[in-house]
Amino acid sequence: MAASNPKSRNFATGPPASESGIDLYTWPTPNGLKINVALAELANLGTPALSWTEHPVNIMKDEQKADWFTHGVNPNSRIPSIIDRSRNDTRVFETGSILLYLSKAYDVDYKLHFEDDAVEAEMWSWVFFQHGGTGPMFGQAGHFLNAAPVKDVYAARRYINESKRLLGVYEQRLSEEGGRDYLVGPGKGKFSYADVASFTWVRAHPYSLGIVSLAEAGFPLTDAWVRRCEARPGAGKAVQGDMIAKMKAQDGWADKCRDKVKWVWEEEAAEGRKRDEL
């Protein structure tokens, strides 16, 4: 993987196109990192003819809303997006679409998916379960917990509780068939695009949900699955030094994580105390 230098670029026109390979336009968020994980895993597994250049698009500075990006990369002004310079400048945006594209264009040996049609369909169902559920819910929970200009108890509880319900879906799935290592595949399963799609979002639980430990929160199998994914050479390298790693590297991070979510439940606890006094 190559990386362009943001200091040498003109963001009025965007970074120069690569001569070949995939240009990946992204930022190291849970959503953006999904594609980094997929590419790193494919490369680590020896996928031929796969190369890419990563172009950081700083969403904190709204660089994804520049004309060059909206008109040339993604009309919805969101990361991650890719343009495949080796395949007629094919433009692909939305992470589920990018994973589908990679599976068809490069992963012809089924390294991260399945030849069996029924298993393949199950895998894509889990990909889009994340795309329509886990990502949006964790994302909204993270916004109302960390970034909203006002503390909205109703909104924070709504999205945190729905995210916890979704964690229960993962927990149930990983408990099936005597216990699974990965979400899809015969027996204990195989690391696939289903895991790629969900891993970076579920791993963000300290930021998005204020949960220090998934195991302590009642999701031990999901916690073990996250650790299993992190231990993979490709996935582990892709998330190294990301926002979650930096968060956990801070002194007293666990206490800070617990403290930041207290306001969400303080009113509920007070209500419980009042009921106990009656």
Side-chain angles (χ1 to χ4, degrees):
M1 180 201 76
S4 62
N5 180 3
K7 292 184 179 179
S8 67
R9 290 179 286 162
N10 177 1
F11 274 99
T13 58
S18 300
E19 293 184 3
S20 62
I22 292 172
D23 278 329
L24 168 63
Y25 303 89
T26 192
W27 192 249
T29 64
N31 203 51
L33 285 170
K34 282 191 282 187
I35 307 307
N36 295 76
V37 169
L39 290 169
E41 282 288 331
L42 288 171
N44 186 68
L45 293 169
T47 303
L50 177 67
S51 64
W52 71 96
T53 299
E54 182 175 335
H55 302 287
V57 178
N58 191 338
I59 62 174
M60 307 307 293
K61 297 180 179 179
D62 281 343
E63 289 174 352
Q64 80 283 8
K65 296 179 181 178
D67 285 345
W68 70 265
F69 191 91
T70 300
H71 294 148
V73 180
N74 184 342
N76 194 35
S77 300
R78 294 291 184 270
I79 58 91
S81 301
I82 67 170
I83 297 179
D84 193 341
R85 306 299 180 182
S86 295
R87 293 175 176 264
N88 300 314
D89 288 345
T90 300
R91 177 178 78 172
V92 192
F93 51 90
E94 294 295 333
T95 54
S97 298
I98 297 172
L99 295 180
L100 183 59
Y101 177 80
L102 292 175
S103 75
K104 290 182 174 295
Y106 291 95
D107 194 0
V108 295
D109 295 327
Y110 299 96
K111 297 181 187 301
L112 296 180
H113 60 133
F114 304 91
E115 291 188 68
D116 183 277
D117 287 345
V119 182
E120 183 84 342
E122 175 80 8
M123 182 198 75
W124 289 114
S125 294
W126 281 100
V127 169
F128 288 100
F129 165 78
Q130 182 282 318
H131 197 72
T134 311
M137 295 302 103
F138 270 61
Q140 291 295 332
H143 171 76
F144 284 105
L145 182 59
N146 299 282
V150 296
K151 291 184 176 181
D152 188 326
V153 172
Y154 170 78
R157 286 185 190 177
R158 171 181 170 80
Y159 290 113
I160 290 173
N161 283 334
E162 176 60 9
S163 296
K164 289 179 179 178
R165 187 191 71 80
L166 295 171
L167 286 172
V169 176
Y170 290 108
E171 191 73 9
Q172 173 58 36
R173 175 59 174 168
L174 292 165
S175 74
E176 294 173 359
E177 301 171 65
R180 304 181 59 86
D181 287 342
Y182 299 109
L183 293 172
V184 179
K188 290 188 174 296
K190 178 182 88 171
F191 185 85
S192 73
Y193 296 109
D195 304 283
V196 170
S198 288
F199 160 56
T200 53
W201 274 109
V202 175
R203 179 175 173 273
H205 58 86
Y207 177 83
S208 297
L209 310 182
I211 293 177
V212 172
S213 166
L214 288 177
E216 292 177 4
F219 310 104
L221 300 179
T222 308
D223 181 75
W225 167 75
V226 170
R227 305 292 162 252
R228 196 173 296 119
C229 293
E230 285 179 325
R232 295 182 62 85
K237 182 179 180 181
V239 301
Q240 189 174 24
D242 74 338
M243 59 182 287
I244 302 305
K246 290 176 181 177
M247 181 180 181
K248 290 185 174 182
Q250 296 177 6
D251 292 338
W253 78 269
D255 288 337
K256 293 176 183 177
C257 181
R258 294 186 185 96
D259 289 343
K260 77 172 184 177
V261 77
K262 284 182 179 178
W263 66 268
V264 178
W265 311 110
E266 282 176 348
E267 184 179 317
E268 185 177 78
E271 291 172 354
R273 287 193 295 271
K274 288 180 180 178
R275 287 194 296 270
D276 291 340
E277 291 170 1
L278 294 176

